[in-house]
Amino acid sequence: MKLRIGRLELDKALGVVSRAVSMKSLGSYQQFVKIAASSDGIVSLEATDDELYTRVSIEGSVTDEGETLVSPLICDLVSRMIGDEVEIFKEGASLTVKCGRSRYQLVCAPADHFPKISDYKTGQAINMQSSVLRDVLSKITFCAYKGGGERSSYYTSGVLFRFTPEYLDAVATDGHRLGLKKCRGKFTEETVDVMLPASNAEEIMKFLPDDPELTVSTFLSNNQLFLEFENMVVASSLLDVKFPDYSRVIPSEKATTVSIDRKEMHDALRRAIIVSRAKQHNPVARLKTVGDVMTIFTDATDVGSGEEDLPCEVTGDDIEISLNPGYLVDVLSQLSCEGILFYWNSKVTPLVVSTSEDEDYTYVVMPIRIE
Amino acid sequence: MASILKLPQSEIDKICAGEVVERPASVVKELIENSLDAGATRIGIAIEDGGKRMISVMDNGCGINPNELESALSAHCTSKIRSADELYVKHSLGFRGEALYSIASISKLKIASRRAEDQAGAEIAVEAGEVVEKRIIALNKGTSIEVRELFLNTPVRRKFLRAKGTEVNFITSMVLDYSLCYPEIAWRLESDGKESFATRGDGDLTPILKRVFDAEIAQSIIKVDYRHSSDLQQGTDVGSFAAGISISGVVAHPQYYRSNRIGQHFFVNRRPVRNRIFYRAVDDACREYMSAGKHALCVLMLDIPPSDIDVNIHPAKQEVSFSEPQQIYALITIGVKRAISVAAAEQQATLARDLASDEMPPSPVNGIDDRARPDESDDREDYVKEAVTSTPDNKIAGPHIDKEISPEQRNTRSIPLYTESKTLPKPKRPVLSIAEFASEADDKALISAETVGEITPEDLSDSQIMGQIGRTFIVFIKNDALYLLDQHSAHERIVFEGIYRNAINRESSPPRQGLVFPILLSLRPDQVDGIKMYIPVMNRLGFQIEVFGEDTLLLREVPASIAERINIEVFRSIIEGFLVTGTEKSYNEMVKHVAATTACKCAIKAGDELSEAEMRWLVKSLTRLESSFTCPHGRPTLVKLGVRDVGKLFQRA
């Protein structure tokens, strides 16, 4: 294998691919980046940790075709090298990477063991704008349960995509709050449920450019989800668990609507958490409106207490509810709109967060009951 | 000092009865065994108030000669053996001639029986061992025995009976056990006039397994059927001894497990037994598929010539000793292991077939990745052959379950990208034995925990966290000393303090976090009954539990302080913890007990990988507590090694 390739392009591609290299010591292809050069000038870079797979194809001038596995150290080297072009060639069991005044030989391994990705374009593609998919993921993924361990086989560790002829629903929950983003449009002929592991959803979100012009083609094949866009292919394993019926969770009634400034609320909650989290792992805060003022109360035994007053607009009865302020901070930091809306029914029913900019987004926080 | 006198016979009888009759369930057991020995095909059991008020067992067996009815109630009268030597060759369940006599001496007992050849039946009523009535009655063929006011003359024993739910639980579990051994018999159990369990007696185990485990698990079971065959390679532990022995039954798919032994049912010659050899054998057979501390769900029946066992260790016959325990161990281990690996092979074959028939694209890694298929070794194939050729003609009516197990049912976990090369779930981490570690440490007497007393709470908040060893102990340094913290017992203490103090220091329940989706836990109706007394206590601690139908618990809210630690598995193990230890306590003791059980089950486990932030949080939270240096069970949470202690390890005086 021998090729020359633009350093910036290669650096960008390696930056993407290296995200799928496994950090755990599996001692096999999962810890390497695969480089393959074909005689038509296409250089493809691949990596997988068996859960997530990435491939980026870039153009270079290939003198000798071939393929090899190489340590992900190549990513750091290329990003720090100085020069416009990188020369890569294989000699025996090492791969030489040359750029400017630098020359490095990296130990490499045969690529025979690296899995060959099957032809995934067997079914109908589901096409979405990259910016839309990115927006969906950013508003939903954080709702899933972050920890690993045995819990990773529950519905709390995944993001559900329900594709239907009329809409797409993306839903995730950690059991105490739930996010739902609806996108209208025809996605599939019949309803298809896909459970994407939350950790992969988070990675995919980082790969997607915030570009409304760019289309992402999605394919379901062999219990895997493939996304194809620009010069990239990303594949994720899927969770084989059933997501409970989320439609029942979202209250249909809206006894009270509160409109409030997102940034002010966000800042106030972050201050309140300083006190309430000082001793308790899971903080508690109480929200109460009187007229056009919302007060956030925190009270931690042996630590202290605090109050935050915020101007707001209330339609309906005054509200009062206790909840984990962390769940509100999470959603408020994901949103970028100016104002947010709370829908409230009672102190024992879920609080709904939405925005006037995106009415198809619903975030539900379960209350904390204090007697 | 009182002089030494021989006790009157009536007092001796009460003492002896205590050996056989411990609780209502023991009465049910003795009566059931009599019915079985009488060749019954239908056995009906009815209890009132958990058997404390009334127990009756009715059968359609051979009946008793009316002239012998009275002698049936005398000590050591039996139709089953003629000399003590026969004890060791006997296949019948009862034989000591103690049961009826013992029960009669501590209750009001009525026995009615008719043989097929007699015109009418006879009934005899006994109170505390004295015959009070005899009469001739009309009766169907068979025997019925009614026991009322058990322990009427042994008030202490009566006092020690547990809550009704617990006693019902004992009886139900036992009847279920017998129905597993004797699926050809139609069983019916009635509690307070309500049918709680019935079988058709057609030999089908599936409905019984659904009841013993639950419907989902019963769908996924793997059949075990193994006997030593003569072509087995020499060198295994199963020598010539094991020729007449077989092991049969079922194991649940290893994706299902419990952290206790509630789901394990063992039988020897169709008799329920408890034996450490079974425990160890099943744990070892499943070690490859589940981590330490997890136990497979199983029903295993050992068929063995009576001359090779001794069941006469204890009158209740629940314990059994084997003449060759090592070989029994080997037989069970091999039997269970093979059954699981055959199931794994089938699963793989089914998967491959499905893939081929759907004309799926070729597998990305098929035949390439050697690492991912360690099970495909040669001896695996041998196992398959061996198990297929092992003789199915054993006498125990083995479970008749033909349900194909689909791969979807087997594996509800994340499907890896390249599914084809995977078989059963592998343990996620190396099996870790704390017991081994501890005993090693004891032997060498390396570390003494005496210095722990010096630690003061402020000391450790900004320690330097070094890391985790064995994914079990957190190592950190502060002020020239090395500290070892047990992550499980430390977190257990933190959680316990949180929920227990919260409950006793407040007038009302602590804050409760609502759940988006309530957790539904399905149990057996008798288990739900057994749990009911804990529900108010759990609600006091911040759970919101409701009984939903007769066999389901609904969890709507959890204590806010541990909200993220609770999922269905944790909830299940908390509930099962109560089933194991169910006993009547004072309210405050119950609160403490429930808090300790909850803390234990939802704490970080040995083997969980922790981030540095989590370790720091544990150290900080633990040292902030007042009584932080032992877990609620009394094990230490923290050990300190000063420079002098370390010096000793290097033999620097």
Side-chain angles (χ1 to χ4, degrees):
Chain A
M1 186 172 76
K2 189 168 185 184
L3 60 106
R4 299 176 79 83
I5 197 160
R7 191 187 69 85
L8 286 177
E9 262 187 296
L10 179 65
D11 181 29
K12 194 179 160 212
L14 284 171
V16 168
V17 168
S18 64
R19 301 211 62 105
V21 175
S22 174
M23 294 299 149
K24 293 180 198 141
S25 49
L26 297 165
S28 188
Y29 62 84
Q30 294 93 334
Q31 287 177 299
F32 290 95
V33 173
K34 180 182 164 186
I35 302 179
S38 71
S39 52
D40 56 3
I42 300 296
V43 177
S44 71
L45 305 161
E46 292 171 83
T48 181
D49 60 1
D50 289 351
E51 296 286 327
L52 187 70
Y53 164 87
T54 53
R55 182 174 77 200
V56 181
S57 304
I58 43 180
E59 282 179 31
S61 72
V62 176
T63 321
D64 289 327
E65 56 181 12
E67 56 177 33
T68 186
L69 297 184
V70 64
S71 148
L73 291 177
I74 191 172
C75 310
D76 295 344
L77 280 177
V78 169
S79 89
R80 287 172 188 275
M81 283 172 158
I82 296 161
D84 294 335
E85 203 172 45
V86 182
E87 192 184 347
I88 296 175
F89 57 90
K90 199 181 154 197
E91 263 179 337
S94 73
L95 191 74
T96 302
V97 184
K98 274 171 74 174
C99 181
R101 293 186 221 162
S102 318
R103 284 174 308 284
Y104 286 86
Q105 284 82 38
L106 295 173
V107 175
C108 57
D112 312 351
H113 292 266
F114 196 91
K116 305 264 184 301
I117 289 302
S118 53
D119 178 16
Y120 52 85
K121 292 185 186 178
T122 47
Q124 190 65 43
I126 304 168
N127 293 322
M128 294 176 77
Q129 287 164 290
S130 178
S131 56
V132 169
L133 183 56
R134 191 187 155 98
D135 180 51
V136 168
L137 287 170
S138 74
K139 284 173 173 166
I140 296 302
T141 308
F142 73 92
C143 298
Y145 181 74
K146 291 293 180 310
E150 289 172 27
R151 245 156 275 226
S152 54
S153 52
Y154 295 108
Y155 60 82
T156 49
S157 56
V159 177
L160 172 74
F161 284 89
R162 176 164 292 170
F163 296 102
T164 77
E166 283 116 38
Y167 59 86
L168 156 70
D169 272 358
V171 201
T173 182
D174 64 357
H176 310 135
R177 41 87 182 270
L178 176 142
L180 166 65
K181 173 81 178 98
K182 207 181 253 309
C183 298
R184 313 221 176 235
K186 180 171 177 172
F187 289 90
T188 48
E189 295 298 330
E190 49 194 59
T191 303
V192 180
D193 278 1
V194 174
M195 271 290 263
L196 195 62
S199 51
N200 285 357
E202 215 156 83
E203 289 298 328
I204 290 170
M205 187 165 73
K206 290 174 192 155
F207 297 144
L208 292 169
D210 192 9
D211 178 0
E213 300 295 315
L214 180 68
T215 300
V216 178
S217 303
T218 308
F219 300 89
L220 260 177
S221 166
N222 224 352
N223 246 321
Q224 297 158 33
L225 184 76
F226 289 84
L227 291 102
E228 199 185 84
F229 52 95
E230 289 180 323
N231 54 353
M232 278 183 71
V233 176
V234 179
S236 167
S237 62
L238 297 177
L239 291 173
D240 187 17
V241 288
K242 199 171 170 306
F243 200 92
D245 178 11
Y246 54 87
S247 62
R248 289 185 306 177
V249 173
I250 296 147
S252 47
E253 317 242 306
K254 296 171 184 174
T256 300
T257 305
V258 179
S259 164
I260 200 161
D261 185 85
R262 181 190 65 85
K263 191 171 179 306
E264 281 182 14
M265 176 98 186
H266 188 215
D267 291 346
L269 284 165
R270 284 175 55 162
R271 285 189 293 270
I273 278 183
I274 295 172
V275 173
S276 56
R277 197 171 263 169
K279 209 162 181 193
Q280 276 288 339
H281 191 43
N282 294 306
V284 183
R286 188 159 56 95
L287 313 184
K288 194 171 188 301
T289 58
V290 177
D292 285 343
V293 177
M294 176 188 275
T295 309
I296 303 170
F297 295 90
T298 52
D299 186 358
T301 323
D302 303 340
V303 177
S305 61
E307 285 163 32
E308 292 273 354
D309 290 337
L310 297 165
C312 63
E313 276 174 44
V314 180
T315 321
D317 299 339
D318 277 331
I319 73 167
E320 180 171 8
I321 191 166
S322 294
L323 41 69
N324 183 335
Y327 295 148
L328 286 183
V329 169
D330 283 351
V331 65
L332 297 182
S333 46
Q334 286 301 328
L335 297 173
S336 52
C337 51
E338 278 194 7
I340 49 157
L341 299 169
F342 289 119
Y343 301 122
W344 178 87
N345 287 301
S346 76
K347 60 162 81 168
V348 293
T349 49
L351 182 74
V352 179
V353 183
S354 189
T355 73
S356 45
E357 279 98 332
D358 184 359
E359 286 175 354
D360 286 332
Y361 180 61
T362 315
Y363 181 79
V364 175
V365 188
M366 296 304 289
I368 289 176
R369 199 135 71 93
I370 298 172
E371 284 170 3
Chain B
M1 191 182 141
S3 54
I4 296 170
L5 292 175
K6 184 172 163 60
L7 286 170
Q9 188 59 37
S10 62
E11 294 308 305
I12 295 176
D13 292 346
K14 285 188 214 168
I15 294 167
C16 293
E19 296 264 308
V20 180
V21 185
E22 199 181 349
R23 55 171 16 96
S26 359
V27 173
V28 177
K29 173 183 183 300
E30 295 297 340
L31 298 183
I32 286 178
E33 292 194 345
N34 281 343
S35 297
L36 291 170
D37 286 342
T41 58
R42 275 208 318 273
I43 300 179
I45 300 113
I47 53 170
E48 286 175 16
D49 192 23
K52 290 189 228 176
R53 193 181 314 135
M54 195 277 292
I55 298 166
S56 90
V57 173
M58 244 182 282
D59 68 52
N60 63 349
C62 63
I64 305 170
N65 185 335
N67 303 324
E68 292 172 358
L69 208 49
E70 199 172 333
S71 50
L73 297 171
S74 313
H76 302 296
C77 279
T78 180
S79 60
K80 298 170 188 173
I81 59 166
R82 292 288 170 251
S83 77
D85 290 344
E86 281 184 53
L87 282 178
Y88 295 96
V89 292
K90 213 51 195 174
H91 253 305
S92 70
L93 292 166
F95 44 69
R96 295 165 53 118
E98 281 180 332
L100 267 183
Y101 171 69
S102 301
I103 298 165
S105 68
I106 51 167
S107 68
K108 292 182 180 172
L109 182 140
K110 247 187 222 171
I111 173 165
S113 185
R114 183 174 79 82
R115 295 184 299 176
E117 61 267 36
D118 294 328
Q119 289 292 318
E123 186 184 68
I124 178 167
V126 185
E127 279 184 22
E130 300 297 322
V131 176
V132 293
E133 195 188 350
K134 274 196 268 191
R135 59 188 181 124
I136 304 295
I137 55 161
L139 196 70
N140 285 331
K141 180 201 157 205
T143 306
S144 85
I145 297 180
E146 186 185 280
V147 178
R148 287 186 179 272
E149 295 180 45
L150 188 63
F151 302 129
L152 62 96
N153 50 358
T154 50
V156 177
R157 184 76 68 168
R158 192 171 179 83
K159 207 175 111 189
F160 274 89
L161 288 180
R162 294 186 184 174
K164 175 194 158 190
T166 314
E167 297 296 345
V168 172
N169 194 5
F170 277 123
I171 293 172
T172 312
S173 305
M174 203 186 55
V175 175
L176 283 173
D177 274 357
Y178 277 99
S179 68
L180 286 169
C181 297
Y182 294 89
E184 73 279 16
I185 288 174
W187 295 87
R188 185 169 191 279
L189 172 65
E190 194 182 289
S191 174
D192 293 333
K194 209 174 103 190
E195 178 180 293
S196 78
F197 169 67
T199 70
R200 288 203 300 272
D202 52 6
D204 186 3
L205 275 188
T206 317
I208 311 174
L209 289 171
K210 275 188 188 165
R211 189 60 207 275
V212 170
F213 302 129
D214 63 38
E216 188 188 337
I217 296 173
Q219 291 290 321
S220 82
I221 54 160
I222 300 166
K223 199 168 158 179
V224 177
D225 192 349
Y226 179 72
R227 68 168 52 208
H228 164 67
S229 51
S230 52
D231 57 298
L232 194 70
Q233 290 296 310
Q234 293 299 315
T236 61
D237 285 342
V238 189
S240 58
F241 158 81
I245 309 178
S246 68
I247 183 87
S248 64
V250 297
V251 264
H253 188 273
Q255 87 182 63
Y256 302 104
Y257 52 75
R258 294 283 183 269
S259 48
N260 52 45
R261 298 196 183 276
I262 288 181
Q264 300 194 329
H265 304 259
F266 301 114
F267 306 91
V268 173
N269 293 345
R270 305 180 104 181
R271 187 198 302 279
V273 294
R274 285 193 292 253
N275 190 294
R276 296 171 62 90
I277 292 171
F278 278 90
Y279 294 164
R280 199 157 54 86
V282 172
D283 283 357
D284 289 353
C286 298
R287 182 142 293 169
E288 211 180 316
Y289 304 103
M290 50 185 79
S291 49
K294 310 278 189 230
H295 306 295
L297 300 155
C298 63
V299 172
L300 289 176
M301 315 201 183
L302 184 75
D303 196 19
I304 184 169
S307 54
D308 291 330
I309 51 167
D310 186 0
V311 292
N312 202 23
I313 305 173
H314 185 269
K317 304 182 194 96
Q318 269 200 340
E319 284 169 35
V320 58
S321 67
F322 299 104
S323 59
E324 301 281 355
Q326 272 314 310
Q327 300 186 345
I328 299 292
Y329 165 82
L331 183 95
I332 300 168
T333 316
I334 295 172
V336 173
K337 226 181 201 165
R338 286 184 185 193
I340 297 177
S341 50
V342 169
E346 274 172 14
Q347 179 184 357
Q348 199 168 14
T350 318
L351 203 55
R353 230 181 7 252
D354 288 354
L355 288 169
S357 63
D358 290 356
E359 292 185 353
M360 287 287 210
S363 134
V365 283
N366 212 359
I368 296 173
D369 178 17
D370 295 329
R371 183 197 57 85
R373 28 173 71 205
D375 283 344
E376 286 288 281
S377 58
D378 289 343
D379 47 300
R380 158 66 95 69
E381 279 166 28
D382 284 348
Y383 271 16
V384 178
K385 254 184 262 163
E386 192 72 48
V388 169
T389 53
S390 69
T391 44
D393 60 334
N394 81 62
K395 295 205 175 54
I396 294 178
H400 308 282
I401 289 115
D402 303 315
K403 295 232 160 58
E404 274 284 320
I405 303 156
S406 73
E408 292 79 36
Q409 282 167 329
R410 282 181 186 281
N411 199 346
T412 61
R413 284 153 214 260
S414 160
I415 295 194
L417 267 177
Y418 316 106
T419 41
E420 287 82 353
S421 59
K422 303 276 165 125
T423 54
L424 286 167
K426 291 279 149 191
K428 282 181 193 148
R429 44 188 181 249
V431 176
L432 171 99
S433 164
I434 299 168
E436 278 166 27
F437 173 85
S439 67
E440 202 176 308
D442 286 349
D443 289 346
K444 293 178 186 166
L446 285 176
I447 297 160
S448 86
E450 286 163 17
T451 42
V452 169
E454 295 168 17
I455 307 168
T456 55
E458 300 78 15
D459 262 346
L460 306 168
S461 47
D462 60 340
S463 313
Q464 188 185 349
I465 308 280
M466 307 302 291
Q468 219 182 349
I469 57 174
R471 289 186 180 170
T472 302
F473 305 104
I474 297 169
V475 184
F476 60 97
I477 293 177
K478 169 82 190 192
N479 290 345
D480 251 6
L482 179 74
Y483 293 85
L484 297 166
L485 180 141
D486 181 324
Q487 64 188 44
H488 172 71
S489 50
H491 192 221
E492 192 176 352
R493 169 54 74 180
I494 296 164
V495 173
F496 176 80
E497 290 294 320
I499 58 177
Y500 182 64
R501 301 275 166 242
N502 236 334
I504 58 168
N505 292 342
R506 296 170 68 106
E507 306 237 317
S508 54
S509 300
R512 306 161 173 198
Q513 171 67 58
L515 296 179
V516 175
F517 301 104
I519 293 175
L520 285 164
L521 182 67
S522 41
L523 295 167
R524 300 200 314 251
D526 56 285
Q527 291 179 325
V528 171
D529 281 343
I531 286 305
K532 275 181 182 158
M533 67 174 181
Y534 290 100
I535 292 178
V537 182
M538 290 199 76
N539 289 352
R540 182 78 177 81
L541 289 171
F543 291 89
Q544 174 66 41
I545 301 172
E546 289 163 29
V547 178
F548 187 70
E550 62 170 10
D551 58 357
T552 305
L553 295 181
L554 186 69
L555 177 64
R556 289 187 184 280
E557 293 170 347
V558 297
S561 59
I562 50 168
E564 80 284 0
R565 302 290 313 170
I566 307 280
N567 62 16
I568 185 162
E569 287 309 319
V570 171
F571 183 49
R572 180 192 293 280
S573 62
I574 295 172
I575 293 296
E576 287 184 346
F578 301 147
L579 290 174
V580 177
T581 58
T583 145
E584 280 174 38
K585 292 189 173 100
S586 74
Y587 183 76
N588 283 342
E589 280 172 349
M590 293 248 291
V591 173
K592 198 165 188 176
H593 172 62
V594 171
T597 308
T598 306
C600 179
K601 303 300 180 187
C602 70
I604 293 166
K605 302 277 177 292
D608 287 351
E609 197 169 347
L610 301 179
S611 68
E612 197 189 320
E614 287 170 311
M615 292 188 236
R616 187 169 295 286
W617 179 82
L618 267 180
V619 171
K620 206 170 139 190
S621 310
L622 182 75
T623 52
R624 240 177 357 210
L625 300 175
E626 283 166 24
S627 52
S628 52
F629 303 117
T630 56
C631 77
H633 296 124
R635 290 195 296 134
T637 54
L638 192 61
V639 169
K640 178 184 181 181
L641 287 176
V643 176
R644 285 172 63 99
D645 299 312
V646 177
K648 280 182 208 159
L649 299 178
F650 292 96
Q651 299 178 359
R652 284 172 177 265

